[in-house]
């Protein structure tokens, strides 16, 4: 099992990655938590696939387990799901020493983490990511939250898990589109800071190195989060493709998934960097890599629509918005620009 430490001011914790680890989930959780009540929060798809196995493994270590299941998909990452989790925790008399276990992808992790951050002003939670996207990105680093009608992730909290454990066998049931969502995030890491990682994916030969690639992404994320837990500096680089990506998700009524939107957003960022002359051209390399995995590289929305939605993004500060733009594969910069200049520089 690969173990990667994440060191934050809130707490230090490990991300454990390994095939066949589900049978050890109870023991691995009991290393960081005494037997207590556990609420497994999951979605209806993961519930059918893995929740029984996970429950059995956790109960074996002396935990008392209940379950909260909601409908799969980004549309569930809302205030109603969040409130329903809190009400269930209260009805079942969960206390500050009890535990939430997020079993699923990014939506499950984000909404459960936000419930953990706020129930009784904060209880512990463990992330058990079941998607590639969640294990390489959203389960690590403590960003939790929900979407509002006005935009994605507009309410939330930084709340670090006490442990993250991924059984990579869970990834084998992912449909190709969901696997591609994760690959878009991995390609994003490559463009931000690792040309070797980008090259592995650009070559299309990642399957035999999947565990190492996942570990490399988690290591990159862990290092960045340890230096900038609260997203005021370097961590913003991890948002490459996200300002336009979130705008595209929102414009589509959440029918375009996060990874697909990030893929398109990364291409827009690369073309925009070329448009303003800060980059040695790399948009075609990014397009070629994304296309290998059936990821989209453009969309039907026009520039005005995308910019309007982008303006609800969290990265907007007063009159400026901080774009993350690639200078070359393996190096990105934070590029704050006045909002009124967006239309001139953005290139779709
Ligand atoms: N997903 C980007 C971050 O966690 O900062």
């Amino acid at each position: 099992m690969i173990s990667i430490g994440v060191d934050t001011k809130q707490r230090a914790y490990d991300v454990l990655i390994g095939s066949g680890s589900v049978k050890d989930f109870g023991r691995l959780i009991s290393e960081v938590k005494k037997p207590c009540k556990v609420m497994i929060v999951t979605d209806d798809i993961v519930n059918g696939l893995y929740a029984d196995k996970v429950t059995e493994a956790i109960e074996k270590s002396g935990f008392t387990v209940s379950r909260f299941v909601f409908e799969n998909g980004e549309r569930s990452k809302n205030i109603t799901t969040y409130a329903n989790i809190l009400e269930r925790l209260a009805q079942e008399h969960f206390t500050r020493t009890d535990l939430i276990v997020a079993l699923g992808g990014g939506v499950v992790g984000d909404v459960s983490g936000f419930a953990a951050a706020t129930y009784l002003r904060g209880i512990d939670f463990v992330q058990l990511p079941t998607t590639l996207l969640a294990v390489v990105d959203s389960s690590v680093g403590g960003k939790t939250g929900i979407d509002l009608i006005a935009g994605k992730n507009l309410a939330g909290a930084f709340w670090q898990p006490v442990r993250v454990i991924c059984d990579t066998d869970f990834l084998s049931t992912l449909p190709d589109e969901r696997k591609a969502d994760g690959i878009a995030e991995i390609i994003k890491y490559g463009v931000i800071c690792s040309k070797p990682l980008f090259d592995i994916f650009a070559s299309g030969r990642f399957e035999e190195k999947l565990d190492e690639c996942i570990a490399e992404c988690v290591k990159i994320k862990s290092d960045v989060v340890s230096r900038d837990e609260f997203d005021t500096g370097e961590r913003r680089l991890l948002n490459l493709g996200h300002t336009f990506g979130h705008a595209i998700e929102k414009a589509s009524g959440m029918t375009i998934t996060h990874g697909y939107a990030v893929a398109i957003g990364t291409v827009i960022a690369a073309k925009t960097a070329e448009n303003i002359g800060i980059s040695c051209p790399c948009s075609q390399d990014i397009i070629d890599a994304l296309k290998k995995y059936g990821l989209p590289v453009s969309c039907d929305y026009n520039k005005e629509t995308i910019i309007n939605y982008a303006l609800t993004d969290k990265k907007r500060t007063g009159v400026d918005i901080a774009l993350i733009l690639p200078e070359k594969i393996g190096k990105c910069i934070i590029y704050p620009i006045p909002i009124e200049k967006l239309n001139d520089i953005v290139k779709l």
Side-chain angles (χ1 to χ4, degrees):
M1 174 159 293
I2 302 171
S3 170
I4 297 156
V6 186
D7 195 7
T8 67
K9 290 188 185 68
Q10 207 168 64
R11 64 174 61 87
Y13 57 96
D14 293 317
V15 181
L16 308 176
I17 302 158
S19 148
S21 55
V22 64
K23 59 180 184 327
D24 299 321
F25 276 5
R27 178 179 61 76
L28 296 171
I29 292 173
S30 68
E31 286 175 1
V32 289
K33 196 78 196 161
K34 291 199 192 91
C36 62
K37 282 200 220 184
V38 170
M39 183 166 297
I40 294 179
V41 179
T42 191
D43 68 39
D44 52 352
I45 295 180
V46 179
N47 186 47
L49 291 168
Y50 303 121
D52 288 345
K53 258 192 215 164
V54 171
T55 301
E56 194 188 319
I58 297 180
E59 281 177 339
K60 236 175 30 197
S61 291
F63 296 93
T64 308
V65 180
S66 59
R67 205 179 292 180
F68 182 95
V69 182
F70 62 85
E71 194 183 332
N72 174 275
E74 183 74 31
R75 283 176 201 226
S76 293
K77 203 173 111 178
N78 59 31
I79 206 149
T80 306
T81 308
Y82 163 69
N84 288 342
I85 296 170
L86 296 182
E87 292 295 351
R88 269 287 295 284
L89 291 164
Q91 278 158 17
E92 296 190 19
H93 307 292
F94 270 63
T95 69
R96 280 194 172 151
T97 53
D98 293 323
L99 181 73
I100 293 179
V101 167
L103 174 68
V107 169
V108 169
D110 284 8
V111 69
S112 327
F114 189 37
T118 48
Y119 180 68
L120 303 180
R121 299 205 175 89
I123 68 170
D124 287 345
F125 89 117
V126 167
Q127 290 261 23
L128 304 179
T130 59
T131 65
L132 188 54
L133 189 149
V135 66
V136 297
D137 185 31
S138 59
S139 67
V140 181
K143 276 190 183 172
T144 72
I146 54 171
D147 303 335
L148 300 184
I149 290 163
K152 259 194 69 110
N153 297 333
L154 292 185
F158 287 98
W159 192 247
Q160 303 292 341
V162 294
R163 187 156 263 191
V164 181
I165 316 166
C166 175
D167 184 338
T168 45
D169 292 353
F170 287 179
L171 308 180
S172 65
T173 50
L174 282 178
D176 286 347
E177 292 81 11
R178 298 295 70 79
K179 193 180 270 186
D181 273 326
I183 291 172
E185 288 283 354
I186 298 178
I187 290 174
K188 175 203 83 172
Y189 279 112
V191 177
I192 295 169
C193 59
S194 174
K195 182 150 181 347
L197 186 65
F198 181 87
D199 288 343
I200 290 174
F201 278 78
S203 73
R205 295 189 322 271
F206 74 96
E207 292 283 1
E208 71 265 28
K209 296 189 175 159
L210 186 60
D211 284 16
E212 286 101 310
C213 290
I214 291 173
E216 169 71 7
C217 294
V218 173
K219 182 84 185 70
I220 293 170
K221 180 136 193 195
S222 157
D223 288 347
V224 172
V225 168
S226 302
R227 290 191 294 263
D228 178 23
E229 182 175 353
F230 297 111
D231 208 13
T232 54
E234 173 187 4
R235 183 166 180 176
R236 290 180 297 165
L237 291 171
L238 300 180
N239 291 322
L240 172 65
H242 282 59
T243 300
F244 302 120
H246 286 169
I248 290 161
E249 277 183 273
K250 190 77 188 119
S252 77
M254 300 301 176
T255 56
I256 297 183
T257 59
H258 182 65
Y260 276 49
V262 166
I264 303 166
T266 303
V267 174
I268 297 176
K271 286 187 177 172
T272 300
E274 285 163 18
N275 194 31
I276 54 180
I278 61 159
S279 128
C280 48
C282 59
S283 62
Q284 195 55 50
D285 292 341
I286 297 172
I287 289 170
D288 293 345
L290 294 168
K291 278 187 169 169
K292 279 214 159 71
Y293 303 97
L295 284 158
V297 294
S298 63
C299 64
D300 292 338
Y301 305 109
N302 62 28
K303 194 154 86 170
E304 195 189 350
T305 306
I306 294 177
I307 288 177
N308 279 339
Y309 280 111
L311 292 180
T312 64
D313 195 88
K314 296 189 297 312
K315 287 165 284 304
R316 177 178 174 172
T317 48
V319 293
D320 287 342
I321 189 155
L323 299 182
I324 313 304
L325 302 178
E327 283 186 341
K328 59 181 181 181
I329 301 295
K331 185 164 187 332
C332 284
I333 56 164
I334 300 168
Y335 190 83
I337 62 148
I339 282 156
E340 76 268 10
K341 294 223 171 104
L342 263 184
N343 194 48
D344 295 338
I345 67 153
V346 169
K347 184 120 197 301
L348 300 194

